Amino acid sequence: MTPALTIDTRDGADGTAVLHVAGDIDLSNVERFRQALAGGPPGERFVVDLTDVTYLDSSGVAALFGRAKQGGLELVIAEGCVVASLVELAHLDDLATIRTS
Amino acid sequence: MAPGGCRHPTGVGDAGRYDAVIAPDMSEPSSRPTVPDDTVAQQAQAGSSALPLFAGGDVAAVMAGFDWSASTLGPPAQWPGLLQTMVRILLTSRFSMWMGWGPDLRFLYNDAYARDTLGAKHPWALGRPAREVWSEAWDDLGPRIDAVLRTGQATWDEALLLFLERSGYREETYHTFSYSPISDVDGGIVGMLCVVTEDTERVINDRRLATLGGLAAELSSAQTERAVFDAVTERLAANRQDLPFALTYVFEGDGGARLAAASGIDVGHPAAPPRIDVKGGDAAWPLDEVLRTGRSVLLDGVATRFGALPSGAWEDPPDRALLVPLAEGGQTDPVGVFVAACNPYRPPDPAYRNFAELLAGQVASAMASARAYEAERQRAEALAELDRAKTEFFSNVSHEFRTPLTLILGPVEDALADDLEPLPDPQRLRLRVVQRNARRLRRLVNDMLDFARIEGGRLEAETVPTDLAALTREVALSFAPAVERAGLAFHLDVEPSVRPVAVDQGMWEKIVLNLLSNALKFTLAGSVTCRLRPEGDTMVLAVSDTGVGVPADQLPLLFQRFHRAPRTAARSHEGTGIGLALVAELARLHGGSVAATSEPGVGSTFTVTIPMGTATGTAIAGQRESSRQAFLDEALQWVADEVDEADTADRRTLAGRTAEATVLVADDNPDVRGYLRRLLEPFWRVVVAADGAEALELARRDPPDLVLTDVMMPRLDGFGLLTGLRRDPATATVPVVFLSARAGEEAAVEGLDAGADDYLVKPFSGIELVARVRSNLELAALRNREAQWRAALVESLQDGVAVTDAAGRMVEANAAFERILGYSHTDRYDPPYPWFPDPEREPAHFAQTNGAFEQLLAGERLNAVLPVRHRLGHQLFVALSASAVGEGDDRRFVVALHDVTAELAAAEREAALAQLATGLAEATDVAGVRRAGLAELRRVFGATDAVVVSWADDRPQARGADGSAVPLDGRATEALARARDERRVVAAAADGSRTSVEDEAGPVSEEAGPVSGVAAPLDPADVHRALWLDIDPPRPMSADDRSLVRLVANLFGQALRRAQLFDDLREVATALQRSILGPTDVPDGMAVRYLPAVRALEVGGDWYDVVGLAEGCLAVVVGDCTGRGLQAATTMGQLRSACRALLLQAKGPADVIDALDSFAERIPGASCTTVFCAVIDTDEGTMRYSCAGHLPAVVLEPSGATTLLDQASALPLGIAPGRSRPEASATLAQGATVLLYTDGLVERRHEAIDAGIARLRLALGDMAGHHPTAIADGVLDALLPAEGQEDDVAVVAYRQGTPDLHLTAPASPEHLGVLRQQLRHWLAAVGVAQRPADELVVAVGEACANAMEHAYGFDPAAEVAVDATYRAGRIEVRVTDRGGWKEARSTSDERGRGLAIMRALVDEVDVQRDPGGTVVQLRRRLAAPDAAREG
């Protein structure tokens, strides 16, 4: 079965909170993803860990863009996976900090 | 029943169907007697409507075409229902079966029986009476069948030997079979059924393996060629079935061959001449051909060649023989030829040849070992012979001198002693010179003789218990005149030893005299000192001088023979230079040593140390010729021209006295003591004591031969002395003579009562005293002789002897007892004895030994091998026999014990050796031999580690049992290098920090100390490998252990070499097989796998092929040649090439197999090959196939259902050429997979092949839609045993195209996940790699999301369709919706991003939009690495 989307907040290595997202993100659940992204105050550092995201479509990319425009977004992505290609394709790295895990 | 079978009831191999028919009719015939016959008929009829009567394979086809009306069975339509049912069971079963029907048992059978047992008798046998079909075996079978028919009881025979003529000759076969009656509804027996399995191969293989294993075990201990050939003769004679007779011819240098071993045939028989002229034209056996080619030769017509031949275990004599070269691995020139007469009832197939070649290999390598041993032994003997000859020469020459010397000395001494006609003084003086020099010459000759004896090991110290102090004093005093005459001070400082010292008195004399004479010779002024002191268990003699001294660099040379000091100040320069060397040798003979210290100009000290030791002779042993006079004469010559005659004569008297006894005189009056001494000293050695106590102490320290004692003395009187002497066993028998001032009978009686031997009353005459002492000494000698003889006898026994009293207290024991157990034999012990096992730590052993002794004391005889402990702690096993003597308190137990520890250990080692040989014989590859061998070596020698070492660039590399590298330390490296270079076993002895290396030929003995490791060359013929055993903690290693190491290392080396040979052969054959096996580069959508057998000795004969044909056709073939090894591999190559050529000529499968049939006739070993050949039209999805005795291919439908392709089955190749081959066709649905395989995949021992096929179908059922690569790997995983397959396996999987994907989903986002998952699954089945699959999923996901959102606005009633195809390396996906495009629903930004994503991830995006809906087409070409999951 397609992995369900789970979103939770964890403590990162440096003590800041990290929004940990796992599973498939598509039209059926993108709204939940968007709301979770809205959780961080605009402009402040906001870390989203996408390492365990198994699928991401353009609506998900759009949600990331929406948050990225507010500044402070930092994405953690598994190197070489399709999510990394999508993020690169969308030039999200212009607006957000991208880290590979 | 396998589920795979249940799902496909139309499958012909599906036995589940018959269960329904058999159950009511057959399994309980007697319980349903009322079922009318027509019911059976109806059921049979019902069966036949679904299944023709003659369904199945080849036999069914023949039966269908058979003219039954001519047989007594009549037309099949009229056969009884029961017969029809039985025939159906028969024909469709894969078990080998036959049945007899009717009174004369008409013969009916199935494919398996025709193939396995009938052979050439098929189809002749069909419908004939059973008696006629098996006329040759009817003597065995007839009575069994009669019994079945008569009693209705089934028979069971396991591995019954039957001689069958099914292959054109009388064949030795073994069958396990059961005959059961066939009863009709009335219970009447109307026929019989036989289910049979053939065991021929197993029985024969077991028999041959037993012979090989037995021979290997026997050869492992054969050290000479004679032993090798004896073992070969004996072992091969035990297998008269496979070897009716066998001969081993060994080439000799002169072009002849000698018959070295003959089994089953008499030497001298025309076929077994003792010698064959190899080049001779009329040689009995064509050995020259074997010699020339170096290959085995199969000789036909042996019977015609020789006439009558022994027939071994058989009735008929052999007509064929295999001539196999005896060549060791790596050797090209055979050393002989092994002739194996062939079993006339077995074909001379590769297995037979292999058997003969393995035997020959064993014989050859055993011969090589034996020859290496022989060479070594001869070398050692030659050296010994040389040494012996040298020694002989020396002793002969010396001996030759002695006779003339004696004839010179005799007359000279006569002349000097002649008082009747005395010589005039001038002549006397001249003759004295002659006498002195002749004596000196005689001494030199004697020294030389001693040396010769020492060299030859023939001079042994004949040691007797000696008062060394007295002897040394005497000898030194005899030399004193010479020292004094030289003006030197002579100090004699001799301390008595506490107990007698075991020395050879003559030798000791020589030691002392040589040292003194040496000291005198090199000392011009000052003194000579002779000291003797006990030091611990040794006696130390030191002779010091104040002479010229010896330079330090000369010291080590002093004791070398013929070494003479460079010209220095000395009294004489004459000398042979053997004096000190002789001293060293004599000391060594006593187990002692000699040393020298010196300071030039100050003096030298020579020290001789000898152990007190245990005497080998007895005190009554005769005296050697004394050399004192000769020494003295010589030394006196140095110091004066003239010798004082009187003095010399005096000394001579003194010297001659030493042979006499010692008399201990005890008297408190010094005057009396002096008088007695003067009286007795001319005759005996006299020791004096001032009172009884001192006398007793002296007597205990050195028992005298007689005690002469005063009665009245202070401290201890004569009676007290007497009691004390009698109480001590050492002095109990010494005669005691009393001297008393008290006169009268009473005093005499009192003394004699107390146990004195004689009595003298003062005053007494000197003559009377001497006479009394003499007669008492003689009486005592007489009395003691018997006791001494008994004691000597007991002492001389190699077995330990101990005597205990009635309570078990040990009262006597001999030296051997002490040697064995380490406990002093003079001490007294009570049971439980200290040498019993420790009751705490080894209670079982203690109980055993203690129990045995308790029973002995209770009166039972004891005769057992018992565990005991040596005083030093190590365990011993002694064979102990004991018996009781006497009665009551006087009862004594005499116990004899013999150390059997070594024998037991040897027996244990023998067993270990046999086990090792067996283990090695079972291992077939180098890794296996190493594993088995090293593990066993560790066990046998209790080694911490055992490794094989090989040298590369002179650096040793060690490998352990698991093949991993093991580091070696310097000690091991050094020992190994010596073992390699000197070709012998080298033990590394570790003592403390120092590591010394000693070898088996060197001075190492069992007592030489613990050994921490042993290196041994592996094989006389292999200089690059050796064995290392690490022993921690170090322990002593006996010579036996060492020779065992050598033996085992050799055995191990041979096994390694043999295994290496096998490995090489296997590697060649596997490489050959791989090179001709078939392509690994196969079209997309196919997978091929070949796995060689894991444990088998050789490669198998499986093959596969994939051939691209014209017009989209593809041929797929799998086959299986019988046999193994190179032969099978080459046969397989020829068949594969032929098959490929035939396929390329556009022949159909049946035609190809047809042609192969006749081809197989001409290739040796090709007959009985099975082949499955299919031609697939990949465009149409159809296939035609034909099967020659092979297992049916399986088709896996996309649904998971499986079908067997068994519609065109016929006999294997070359069985019945000329018969036309069946062909069938099948349709392959898109996505269906065909799996071809060989029997190794499904065949398991003790299991019907149908069960294996059912298992395969079950496994396949779960793999529907998988990629062929995944399917091929999946079935290998699922079916092959985890420990590795016993047979080789070939598998070919072909998939018809790729299944297309058709998905629809409601236009609602929550269905996107499901769509993605199904798409992923399909992409995996197509074989798309992970990354491109991920990208395709994202692109298609975008298209679907677009369709749902923009076309329908998420209307769940509307549908989105996804269709995907994979053609020619390209994936094409169409996403279709039927909705209108609603632009306004999203920002163009987002939709644009979706499109951009699609375009970035696939090669081509095509959007066609019209009022009816939108179609988005995505295409992506898969690069080779993307699609390739095949390697």
Side-chain angles (χ1 to χ4, degrees):
Chain A
M1 209 37 225
T2 301
L5 177 65
T6 62
I7 302 174
D8 56 285
T9 304
R10 297 178 183 179
D11 286 336
D14 55 359
T16 47
V18 172
L19 188 70
H20 183 264
V21 187
D24 282 10
I25 303 170
D26 64 10
L27 274 180
S28 68
N29 54 25
V30 73
E31 199 46 43
R32 199 146 59 85
F33 181 52
R34 205 188 310 274
Q35 279 168 14
L37 286 178
E44 278 183 28
R45 182 168 174 236
F46 184 54
V47 183
V48 179
D49 184 349
L50 298 177
T51 311
D52 296 326
V53 169
T54 45
Y55 177 83
L56 183 71
D57 72 356
S58 55
S59 65
V61 174
L64 286 170
F65 252 105
R67 179 60 186 78
K69 280 175 190 161
Q70 296 172 6
L73 182 63
E74 190 174 322
L75 298 179
V76 184
I77 296 170
E79 193 165 12
C81 73
V82 72
V83 173
S85 307
L86 290 169
V87 164
E88 193 186 336
L89 207 62
H91 298 291
L92 253 176
D93 50 347
D94 292 348
L95 295 170
T97 313
I98 313 291
R99 279 198 285 131
T100 52
S101 59
Chain B
M1 194 60 225
C6 289
R7 265 188 267 153
H8 307 287
T10 52
V12 171
D14 187 350
R17 168 164 211 87
Y18 315 125
D19 288 346
V21 180
I22 292 167
D25 286 350
M26 297 302 301
S27 53
E28 300 170 338
S30 56
S31 67
R32 291 173 175 261
T34 55
V35 176
D37 204 9
D38 58 4
T39 312
V40 178
Q42 277 165 16
Q43 284 182 354
Q45 203 57 40
S48 68
S49 66
L51 193 71
L53 179 56
F54 301 126
D58 189 51
V59 173
V62 175
M63 284 177 81
F66 193 77
D67 181 10
W68 292 103
S69 57
S71 85
T72 59
L73 289 172
Q78 291 165 22
W79 285 0
L82 181 56
L83 177 53
Q84 292 194 9
T85 305
M86 291 303 297
V87 166
R88 274 198 195 89
I89 293 170
L90 206 63
L91 288 180
T92 48
S93 174
R94 284 172 191 274
F95 275 109
S96 185
M97 292 185 202
W98 69 272
M99 59 176 279
W101 185 267
D104 53 357
L105 297 174
R106 291 284 163 169
F107 209 77
L108 298 166
Y109 51 91
N110 62 4
D111 279 351
Y113 190 74
R115 183 187 64 225
D116 298 339
T117 311
L118 271 183
K121 289 194 181 191
H122 169 68
W124 165 85
L126 198 61
R128 284 178 194 276
R131 170 189 295 275
E132 196 178 319
V133 173
W134 286 129
S135 55
E136 70 266 36
W138 202 250
D139 286 350
D140 284 319
L141 305 183
R144 287 177 170 78
I145 290 173
D146 287 347
V148 171
L149 297 180
R150 202 171 57 245
T151 63
Q153 299 282 317
T155 64
W156 171 259
D157 282 280
E158 204 160 330
L160 183 73
L161 169 61
L162 292 174
F163 290 98
L164 301 185
E165 283 174 23
R166 56 181 179 180
S167 312
Y169 59 91
R170 211 161 130 79
E171 188 181 356
E172 177 197 4
T173 67
Y174 295 89
H175 289 85
T176 295
F177 56 88
S178 168
Y179 290 143
S180 40
I182 302 175
S183 326
D184 62 13
V185 284
D186 305 326
I189 296 171
V190 293
M192 49 125 332
L193 176 71
C194 169
V195 181
V196 54
T197 343
E198 178 156 5
D199 298 323
T200 309
E201 202 165 323
R202 178 184 62 76
V203 171
I204 287 172
N205 272 345
D206 287 355
R207 191 168 70 204
R208 289 176 184 167
L209 278 177
T211 301
L212 284 168
L215 184 62
E218 197 112 330
L219 286 179
S220 66
S221 55
Q223 296 199 356
T224 63
E225 279 203 26
R226 192 62 258 160
V228 167
F229 296 130
D230 285 349
V232 169
T233 305
E234 186 191 330
R235 272 294 157 182
L236 299 192
N239 184 350
R240 303 283 291 275
Q241 288 96 342
D242 290 312
L243 301 164
F245 65 86
L247 305 165
T248 304
Y249 279 97
V250 177
F251 294 133
E252 299 195 311
D254 55 0
R258 173 174 61 86
L259 178 57
S263 309
I265 189 166
D266 292 333
V267 176
H269 185 282
R275 205 188 124 81
I276 289 180
D277 184 4
V278 178
K279 298 287 176 209
D282 54 348
W285 297 98
L287 305 185
D288 57 331
E289 194 181 337
V290 181
L291 180 60
R292 204 176 55 246
T293 60
R295 290 163 186 273
S296 305
V297 171
L298 176 65
L299 193 66
D300 279 314
V302 171
T304 12
R305 198 181 181 102
F306 296 111
L309 281 171
S311 60
W314 310 117
E315 208 171 292
D316 293 327
D319 192 37
R320 286 200 189 93
L322 272 166
L323 278 61
V324 186
L326 290 178
E328 263 225 292
Q331 285 180 0
T332 45
D333 292 337
V335 294
V337 175
F338 175 63
V339 180
C342 296
N343 178 351
Y345 305 133
R346 294 299 311 162
D349 55 10
Y352 211 137
R353 189 179 284 245
N354 191 32
F355 169 62
E357 284 173 355
L358 284 175
L359 284 177
Q362 286 193 358
V363 176
S365 73
M367 276 175 67
S369 293
R371 284 184 177 179
Y373 271 119
E374 186 66 11
E376 199 117 309
R377 197 180 58 76
Q378 280 176 359
R379 200 165 61 91
E381 271 180 8
L383 284 175
E385 176 60 25
L386 195 66
D387 209 42
R388 207 183 53 72
K390 196 174 69 181
T391 307
E392 189 109 313
F393 171 75
F394 266 116
S395 30
N396 281 343
V397 166
S398 304
H399 206 77
E400 289 302 316
F401 283 131
R402 258 156 66 115
T403 313
L405 274 173
T406 310
L407 292 177
I408 293 168
L409 267 174
V412 167
E413 279 168 356
D414 284 351
L416 286 171
D418 194 339
D419 290 338
L420 290 178
E421 293 179 42
L423 287 169
D425 276 353
Q427 303 304 337
R428 175 175 292 274
L429 282 177
R430 283 181 191 134
L431 276 189
R432 283 225 179 279
V433 174
V434 173
Q435 185 192 35
R436 272 198 301 275
N437 283 285
R439 277 181 180 161
R440 177 155 175 262
L441 194 53
R442 189 173 62 185
R443 182 174 73 80
L444 291 175
V445 165
N446 283 345
D447 282 356
M448 292 297 290
L449 265 176
D450 278 353
F451 255 114
R453 290 205 198 97
I454 289 169
E455 287 270 282
R458 283 175 295 133
L459 186 66
E460 281 177 22
E462 203 173 292
T463 58
V464 295
T466 304
D467 178 352
L468 197 64
L471 177 61
T472 308
R473 181 184 291 116
E474 261 175 39
V475 175
L477 284 176
S478 77
F479 195 76
V483 182
E484 280 155 14
R485 183 76 57 87
L488 301 176
F490 184 42
H491 305 296
L492 184 58
D493 178 9
V494 174
E495 194 175 300
S497 55
V498 259
R499 61 180 173 96
V501 180
V503 292
D504 182 308
Q505 295 183 347
M507 291 186 186
W508 183 255
E509 196 176 285
K510 280 185 185 160
I511 289 173
V512 177
L513 289 171
N514 266 302
L515 290 179
L516 289 175
S517 131
N518 189 64
L520 177 61
K521 192 167 167 185
F522 293 101
T523 308
L524 301 178
S527 65
V528 171
T529 308
C530 176
R531 276 196 194 85
L532 180 73
R533 294 252 184 290
E535 264 181 30
D537 283 340
T538 62
M539 291 300 289
V540 180
L541 171 75
V543 175
S544 310
D545 61 51
T546 54
V548 293
V550 185
D553 60 334
Q554 293 289 318
L555 272 179
L557 306 173
L558 279 177
F559 300 105
Q560 283 185 9
R561 214 181 320 168
F562 307 122
H563 171 79
R564 296 186 54 200
R567 189 160 281 269
T568 48
R571 292 190 187 280
S572 162
H573 292 294
E574 60 187 14
T576 53
I578 65 175
L580 289 176
L582 187 63
V583 168
E585 288 294 341
L586 295 176
R588 195 181 58 73
L589 282 175
H590 282 85
S593 61
V594 60
T597 56
S598 186
E599 201 176 323
V602 177
S604 312
T605 300
F606 289 83
T607 314
V608 171
T609 309
I610 60 161
M612 298 208 185
T614 308
T616 55
T618 58
I620 53 172
Q623 272 293 122
R624 282 169 193 269
E625 177 185 8
S626 171
S627 40
R628 286 178 211 175
Q629 196 57 48
F631 270 93
L632 184 64
D633 286 355
E634 190 179 341
L636 285 171
Q637 255 189 306
W638 298 334
V639 295
D641 290 338
E642 277 303 309
V643 179
D644 179 353
E645 214 173 302
D647 188 72
T648 311
D650 268 9
R651 293 294 163 184
R652 192 183 307 153
T653 316
L654 211 64
R657 192 191 57 189
T658 55
E660 301 290 339
T662 302
V663 176
L664 174 63
V665 173
D667 200 304
D668 53 340
N669 186 322
D671 290 339
V672 176
R673 279 207 303 275
Y675 171 65
L676 289 173
R677 180 200 277 275
R678 277 191 301 280
L679 270 178
L680 299 173
E681 216 161 34
F683 309 99
W684 301 287
R685 183 171 157 257
V686 178
V687 180
V688 294
D691 57 46
E694 190 190 341
L696 188 59
E697 197 193 326
L698 284 173
R700 279 178 179 161
R701 194 185 299 161
D702 184 6
D705 298 287
L706 183 140
V707 175
L708 185 63
T709 178
D710 193 8
V711 175
M712 304 295 287
M713 286 182 294
R715 292 217 293 170
L716 187 69
D717 65 11
F719 293 105
L721 174 61
L722 181 65
T723 314
L725 289 172
R726 291 287 181 259
R727 191 177 293 145
D728 188 333
T731 53
T733 58
V734 175
V736 177
V737 177
F738 274 6
L739 289 172
S740 178
R742 294 203 309 180
E745 284 293 307
E746 286 154 41
V749 168
E750 191 184 7
L752 294 174
D753 267 1
D757 293 83
D758 207 347
Y759 192 90
L760 272 172
V761 180
K762 297 174 186 171
F764 44 81
S765 82
I767 291 164
E768 192 189 358
L769 175 75
V770 169
R772 287 285 186 93
V773 167
R774 176 166 288 134
S775 71
N776 272 296
L777 277 171
E778 279 167 3
L779 268 174
L782 206 62
R783 194 168 59 221
N784 285 344
R785 192 165 303 147
E786 203 165 335
Q788 281 173 344
W789 182 80
R790 176 179 157 273
L793 191 70
V794 169
E795 282 302 309
S796 71
L797 286 178
Q798 289 303 302
D799 283 1
V801 174
V803 179
T804 77
D805 63 17
R809 164 168 256 252
M810 218 181 79
V811 293
E812 193 182 345
N814 66 350
F817 173 89
E818 178 170 343
R819 202 175 54 243
I820 293 172
L821 293 175
Y823 287 91
S824 164
H825 68 287
T826 53
D827 288 353
R828 302 286 164 258
Y829 306 96
D830 290 305
Y833 304 113
W835 52 87
F836 276 7
D838 190 314
E840 300 292 323
R841 280 178 297 151
E842 33 185 356
H845 277 171
F846 176 79
Q848 189 187 354
T849 306
N850 191 48
F853 269 92
E854 280 174 356
Q855 287 186 343
L856 172 70
L857 296 183
E860 287 182 32
R861 261 191 78 83
L862 175 56
N863 212 333
V865 172
L866 295 173
V868 296
R869 284 270 160 204
H870 190 271
R871 190 174 59 81
L872 298 178
H874 53 268
Q875 186 174 50
L876 300 173
F877 285 92
V878 292
L880 211 137
S881 68
S883 49
V885 182
E887 286 300 326
D889 282 351
D890 288 337
R891 188 167 222 189
R892 293 284 181 276
F893 295 98
V894 181
V895 182
L897 61 155
H898 178 69
D899 184 357
V900 296
T901 316
E903 281 98 318
L904 286 182
E908 208 165 284
R909 281 197 298 262
E910 280 294 312
L913 201 60
Q915 192 174 336
L916 176 70
T918 317
L920 291 179
E922 279 169 6
T924 56
D925 57 4
V926 170
V929 167
R930 193 167 48 214
R931 203 164 41 242
L934 292 180
E936 196 62 22
L937 277 164
R938 277 180 58 173
R939 206 181 62 71
V940 173
F941 295 105
T944 337
D945 209 355
V947 295
V948 175
V949 179
S950 55
W951 279 271
D953 301 332
D954 214 39
R955 297 174 67 84
Q957 293 178 333
R959 296 207 173 278
D962 58 356
S964 61
V966 175
L968 289 173
D969 56 17
R971 160 188 66 106
T973 309
E974 187 187 347
L976 281 161
R978 279 194 57 194
R980 177 194 57 178
D981 297 341
E982 298 169 23
R983 315 300 310 142
R984 53 190 189 184
V985 178
V986 176
D991 53 5
S993 56
R994 191 175 64 89
T995 298
S996 66
V997 179
E998 291 148 307
D999 64 66
E1000 60 176 349
V1004 178
S1005 65
E1006 275 183 64
E1007 294 80 18
V1011 162
S1012 69
V1014 180
L1018 265 189
D1019 189 325
D1022 184 355
V1023 297
H1024 300 296
R1025 279 195 289 199
L1027 176 75
W1028 172 251
L1029 297 173
D1030 208 52
I1031 294 167
D1032 185 29
R1035 58 177 171 78
M1037 231 186 177
S1038 67
D1040 282 352
D1041 277 337
R1042 260 174 263 241
S1043 54
L1044 185 72
V1045 169
R1046 165 179 283 259
L1047 195 64
V1048 167
N1050 270 330
L1051 184 66
F1052 183 43
Q1054 284 169 26
L1056 263 183
R1057 204 139 43 80
R1058 206 153 43 222
Q1060 184 72 55
L1061 193 67
F1062 286 149
D1063 276 4
D1064 292 350
L1065 268 180
R1066 178 162 38 204
E1067 209 166 286
V1068 168
T1070 310
L1072 182 64
Q1073 186 166 33
R1074 284 198 185 283
S1075 71
I1076 56 184
L1077 191 65
T1080 49
D1081 177 21
V1082 293
D1084 184 33
M1086 283 200 74
V1088 292
R1089 293 288 181 270
Y1090 174 77
L1091 297 180
V1094 166
R1095 275 171 39 80
L1097 192 59
E1098 294 157 313
V1099 294
D1102 287 4
W1103 94 86
Y1104 67 85
D1105 203 358
V1106 175
V1107 190
L1109 304 176
E1111 293 161 0
C1113 284
L1114 189 68
V1116 187
V1117 184
V1118 292
D1120 183 357
C1121 294
T1122 55
R1124 287 174 176 172
L1126 274 175
Q1127 174 67 39
T1130 43
T1131 305
M1132 181 264 280
Q1134 286 171 302
L1135 282 173
R1136 192 187 72 93
S1137 304
C1139 185
R1140 178 171 268 253
L1142 288 164
L1143 284 163
L1144 287 169
Q1145 288 167 25
K1147 303 241 188 210
D1151 293 338
V1152 167
I1153 291 187
D1154 221 5
L1156 282 179
D1157 238 353
S1158 30
F1159 185 65
E1161 263 195 309
R1162 289 194 289 276
I1163 305 176
S1167 106
C1168 283
T1169 298
T1170 66
V1171 184
F1172 191 100
C1173 175
V1175 173
I1176 302 169
D1177 186 326
T1178 57
D1179 295 340
E1180 296 291 323
T1182 57
M1183 72 183 282
R1184 289 176 295 143
Y1185 64 92
S1186 182
C1187 174
H1190 202 84
L1191 295 169
V1194 185
V1195 176
L1196 172 63
E1197 305 291 349
S1199 65
T1202 58
T1203 320
L1204 291 182
L1205 297 180
D1206 56 0
Q1207 296 300 312
S1209 301
L1211 291 176
L1213 295 186
I1215 304 284
R1219 193 174 304 166
S1220 85
R1221 289 285 178 172
E1223 184 169 302
S1225 57
T1227 310
L1228 297 176
Q1230 191 72 4
T1233 302
V1234 185
L1235 188 80
L1236 281 64
Y1237 54 93
T1238 55
D1239 53 6
L1241 182 66
V1242 292
E1243 203 166 60
R1244 294 291 166 274
R1245 217 172 266 203
H1246 312 305
E1247 188 189 90
I1249 193 97
D1250 285 345
I1253 295 176
R1255 209 168 34 236
L1256 172 63
R1257 293 172 74 169
L1258 182 65
L1260 279 172
D1262 293 336
M1263 299 181 199
H1266 287 198
H1267 190 265
T1269 310
I1271 291 179
D1273 291 336
V1275 295
L1276 291 174
D1277 265 4
L1279 273 82
L1280 293 185
E1283 68 275 13
Q1285 61 281 5
E1286 286 181 4
D1287 200 357
D1288 55 346
V1289 180
V1291 169
V1292 179
Y1294 165 82
R1295 181 165 66 189
Q1296 175 60 31
T1298 314
D1300 293 343
L1301 180 71
H1302 303 291
L1303 298 172
T1304 53
S1308 165
E1310 62 265 27
H1311 290 97
L1312 283 168
V1314 180
L1315 280 177
R1316 281 199 304 274
Q1317 198 206 353
Q1318 288 173 331
L1319 180 63
R1320 275 187 201 283
H1321 188 258
W1322 181 81
L1323 287 167
V1326 167
V1328 181
Q1330 181 72 41
R1331 183 61 198 260
D1334 280 348
E1335 292 175 358
L1336 274 163
V1337 168
V1338 170
V1340 173
E1342 285 299 330
C1344 291
N1346 270 349
M1348 289 179 181
E1349 185 176 8
H1350 303 299
Y1352 298 125
F1354 303 126
D1355 173 4
E1359 282 193 330
V1360 174
V1362 177
D1363 299 284
T1365 58
Y1366 173 63
R1367 297 283 186 277
R1370 198 167 70 159
I1371 302 274
E1372 186 170 321
V1373 187
R1374 291 155 59 90
V1375 179
T1376 312
D1377 67 63
R1378 299 269 167 258
W1381 192 262
K1382 292 173 186 152
E1383 195 80 38
R1385 280 202 169 251
S1386 73
T1387 65
S1388 60
D1389 186 30
E1390 270 185 44
R1391 195 169 59 77
R1393 188 173 288 131
L1395 257 177
I1397 286 172
M1398 284 187 253
R1399 293 216 161 91
L1401 296 179
V1402 300
D1403 300 328
E1404 225 177 294
V1405 181
D1406 184 14
V1407 183
Q1408 289 173 18
R1409 201 175 296 149
D1410 59 39
T1414 306
V1415 177
V1416 178
Q1417 292 202 46
L1418 306 168
R1419 294 188 195 89
R1420 175 154 176 172
R1421 176 160 296 281
L1422 296 177
D1426 288 349
R1429 273 174 60 185
E1430 296 119 308

